[in-house]
Amino acid sequence: MDYRRLGKSGLKVSEFSFGSWVTFGKQVDGGDAVSLMGAAYEAGINFFDNAEGYGQGASETLMGEALQTLGFTRDSFIVSSKVFWGGSKPTQRGLSFKHVVDGCHQALKRLQVEYLDLYFCHRPDVDTPVEETVRAMHTLVMQGKILYWGTSEWTAQQLTEAYAAARAHNLTPPTMEQPEYNLFNRNKVEGEFLPLYELMGLGTTIWSPLASGILTGKYNDGIPADSRMNLPGYEWLKDSLESDGGQDKLRKARELTTLAGEIGMSVTHLSLLWCLANPHVSTVILGASRLSQLQENLKALDHKAKLTPEVLERIEAIVGNKPEGLKRY
Ligand code: NDP
């Protein structure tokens, strides 16, 4: 496992990290959480990603219990939460000063830690002035309750406004953004955000590197019964796979599967390594509903040397979605 700086901060994050969206509390129970996080840590993963919105807090509770059982020393791992979807009442959602602070206190309790290493605004909140959110995050940093703060799925414009507000008022600026990034979705990371890596020293903790499993090839011949796309509450994922856009992704996934076979690795490995090949990616957050998946995904690191410039060109020819007029990085 290699470690990368989180943007221009001094924090060293493992190139693969581990997250709990969908899985913890739904497909993964307490015992599984301990084996998954134990195996991840053993392999060198030092960052565990979470959010108040995952399972309405259940995911944080499960991760907190697993951290207690595993007993990793607090200075050897990084844990995050994200604030935005804390409940149904008006004060329980969004990025008001109040909810940012309440969300942090609740995450600390559920995760059973004294501070969060990373705290994300899970989405932008058009009802809250950005300066109010920046001030709330800065206050939590000053109180030692969070160390770094960032955003998820914000636009470059929104990030620039947050950065400017922080600089204007001598507050702590955002350090990282958590965007979706995979072979099907690359415009923000490779296009829109390009100026911000230099301007703000922005780091990225990227999500859904396997496009919810499509890039493992598991959906090439239909939807497996025990997969995310068959879970109650995730019909929207299945619908998106069955749409024209989803069918186009499947066609590409099949072609990528053939290419990966030719160069002696799985399409899962090829897809994960493709994300890692972008130096603006600080860490690729892995998701897994069982231990065998995590073990398989970690093996991608053994194949790094196979992602040659020629292979990258062949991948481009299949996906055909390089952001126009911009270099990849
Ligand atoms: P992926 O795109 O990698 O999807 C992971 C899922 O794909 C697994 O749960 C499993 O689903 C399937 N899978 C993974 N590996 C394999 C394998 N080797 N073989 C077969 N199936 C496999 O990542 P996620 O979508 O889970 O995202 C990763 C993390 O990113 C999340 O846990 C979360 O922390 C973060 N995230 C953040 C978001 C944000 O808005 N900030 C949004 C989404 C995620 P199954 O077994 O059910 O088929």
Side-chain angles (χ1 to χ4, degrees), residues 18-21 23 27 49-50 54 82 122-123 152-153 178 206-213 216 218-219 226-229 231 268 272 285-290 292-294 296-297:
F18 185 65
S20 59
W21 178 56
T23 54
Q27 299 166 297
D49 186 58
N50 220 316
Y54 296 171
K82 308 185 198 82
H122 210 155
R123 288 293 180 273
S152 180
E153 292 302 333
Q178 187 166 127
I206 66 104
W207 61 267
S208 284
L210 297 173
S212 271
T216 65
K218 72 192 297 174
Y219 295 105
D226 60 351
S227 65
R228 173 181 294 187
M229 302 231 186
L231 288 176
T268 307
L272 293 173
I285 312 178
L286 303 176
S289 64
R290 60 209 76 167
S292 56
Q293 293 176 351
L294 177 64
E296 155 76 3
N297 299 356

